[in-house]
Amino acid sequence: MARDRRRLLAWLLTGLVLALVLALYDADRTGMSEHSAAPCPDSALRCPGATPPAGPAPSAAPSSAPPSADPSASAGPSPSASAPASGTPSPGTGTSPGPGGPCSSPGACGFPDSRTTGPRIALERHDTGDMSVKTDGMVIKGWDIRGSLDVYANDVTVIDSRITSTNWWGINLRPGFSGLRVLHTTITAVPGKGPDNGGVDYAVSNMGGSSIEVGWCDVSVFGNALSMGQGEIHDNYVHDIVPFRNQGGEWQHTDAVISGGGNKGRLTIRHNTLLNPVDVHQGASAAVGLFADTGNVSSVVVDANWLAGGAYALYGGGPGATGIQVTDNVFSAEYHPNAGAYGLVAAWNEGGAGNVWRGNRTADGRPVVPGPTS
């Protein structure tokens, strides 16, 4: 009988060990599945190993066809200076693009669009109105906000949310505060309901003296959508800017990204789709506007973006601009034959210390070379 009891005890212990092993295996498999389902870590500036958006596979083009402006080619050599170009450059306009091409839309060519930006989770409605955020380290996640956020705190994160504003801004960082991050968020407004004679001015505004991060956001309606002198602006989709007459009765100038100069830190604008469809007679300025309104423009990187619209698609900072790197951008003719109503680029200071112009091209692969500043 003692032997039977020992045998029974052995079987029981074996069963417990087997159950424990199976439980650990199932937990490990579940953990792996949940990890792989996450599109991108909340803390990541870049999403390692991210799969590019679906689009047509590149096909082999005949040798006479212009090279594709696929952004994956940005790490390679820039287009040959012998590539054909049409039109004659005029002061500040750059080289004229040719008709259409293999990179005729941003999403098909790996640039951000509505599929790759905005919230990744279901949202809960919050009728906050115009809300002041005053708690350091606050995280706003999964909110569908009817109102705006005025940030008087450090290290605030807005992620996987939506903001529909009728205020001057969608999100504003006040002077003296730092560390704002706005990620995977839709920021829009109600046309005609804003305080600036019905208009709305800034989707994200950095009034602070330090860098902020805006990434993977879907931004529309606001006149000067992303407004800051320093920060990390990456992987965003800015589109459908709505023109309006401001309180002075003039057409408000519109820009997908705008910097007024005099910045102390670096501004990096990388891998965004920046569209300004506004008619030039209704205030269109630029897709990227680097203006010396409050001081000289310095330390700006404009890299691997899709740019279209404005009076000029890019304003390069003017005569006093230094440390401006404009590399591997695609200038699209979707609104104007020369990307902007008057041309591709203006106010580029070729002789400025540290200024670099390299690898920029039209959507059909032709090199963009700034003309002389008049």
Side-chain angles (χ1 to χ4, degrees), residues 53-134:
S59 58
S63 59
S64 59
S68 169
D70 191 310
S72 64
S74 63
S78 60
S80 169
S82 62
S86 63
T88 302
S90 57
T93 63
T95 305
S96 299
C103 205
S104 57
S105 70
C109 299
F111 289 92
D113 62 10
S114 60
R115 300 171 300 170
T116 60
T117 56
R120 304 162 294 178
I121 60 176
L123 305 181
E124 179 182 351
R125 179 159 173 166
H126 288 256
D127 293 313
T128 64
D130 300 332
M131 173 181 171
S132 293
V133 178
K134 298 183 177 180

Side-chain angles (χ1 to χ4, degrees), residues 12-364:
L12 289 173
L13 288 174
T14 301
L16 286 172
V17 170
L18 180 61
L20 179 60
V21 169
L22 289 174
L24 289 173
Y25 170 77
D26 186 67
D28 181 63
R29 185 182 59 172
T30 303
M32 288 175 62
S33 175
E34 290 176 352
H35 175 74
S36 63
C40 194
D42 292 348
S43 61
L45 180 65
R46 290 286 180 272
C47 191
T51 302
S59 58
S63 59
S64 59
S68 169
D70 191 310
S72 64
S74 63
S78 60
S80 169
S82 62
S86 63
T88 302
S90 57
T93 63
T95 305
S96 299
C103 205
S104 57
S105 70
C109 299
F111 289 92
D113 62 10
S114 60
R115 300 171 300 170
T116 60
T117 56
R120 304 162 294 178
I121 60 176
L123 305 181
E124 179 182 351
R125 179 159 173 166
H126 288 256
D127 293 313
T128 64
D130 300 332
M131 173 181 171
S132 293
V133 178
K134 298 183 177 180
T135 303
D136 287 350
M138 183 174 182
V139 176
I140 294 173
K141 183 173 184 177
W143 289 23
D144 183 356
I145 297 171
R146 308 305 167 96
S148 64
L149 299 177
D150 203 4
V151 180
Y152 294 84
N154 297 310
D155 302 320
V156 171
T157 298
V158 182
I159 186 168
D160 287 316
S161 295
R162 177 184 175 92
I163 294 173
T164 305
S165 175
T166 55
N167 199 1
W168 296 90
W169 53 75
I171 304 174
N172 181 46
L173 179 65
R174 288 288 177 169
F177 299 96
S178 63
L180 175 65
R181 305 176 76 212
V182 184
L183 307 174
H184 299 286
T185 292
T186 294
I187 310 168
T188 190
V190 181
K193 299 295 184 180
D196 196 356
N197 197 30
V200 287
D201 290 80
Y202 312 108
V204 181
S205 170
N206 182 8
M207 297 174 67
S210 66
S211 180
I212 71 174
E213 181 186 356
V214 183
W216 302 288
C217 290
D218 183 323
V219 180
S220 61
V221 180
F222 292 89
N224 290 128
L226 302 178
S227 174
M228 62 195 72
Q230 49 269 323
E232 295 277 349
I233 300 174
H234 64 88
D235 300 289
N236 301 290
Y237 175 44
V238 181
H239 60 102
D240 293 312
I241 293 172
V242 175
F244 63 93
R245 292 187 184 272
N246 58 29
Q247 290 182 339
E250 300 175 340
W251 286 108
Q252 176 66 27
H253 285 221
T254 61
D255 304 88
V257 174
I258 186 171
S259 175
N263 51 298
K264 303 299 182 184
R266 178 177 293 276
L267 174 62
T268 300
I269 306 165
R270 178 170 284 126
H271 197 242
N272 305 277
T273 298
L274 304 174
L275 309 179
N276 187 350
V278 175
D279 190 278
V280 70
H281 301 299
Q282 293 181 306
S285 291
V288 173
L290 308 179
F291 303 112
D293 294 335
T294 57
N296 288 335
V297 180
S298 63
S299 300
V300 179
V301 172
V302 183
D303 177 62
N305 301 282
W306 177 283
L307 308 176
Y312 292 90
L314 172 70
Y315 278 83
T322 58
I324 314 299
Q325 301 176 37
V326 182
T327 55
D328 296 318
N329 298 283
V330 175
F331 289 74
S332 167
E334 59 200 276
Y335 303 123
H336 308 286
N338 285 313
Y342 301 140
L344 293 99
V345 55
W348 174 250
N349 180 16
E350 184 176 2
N355 290 351
V356 175
W357 184 280
R358 183 182 65 247
N360 302 295
R361 56 208 183 274
T362 61
D364 60 355

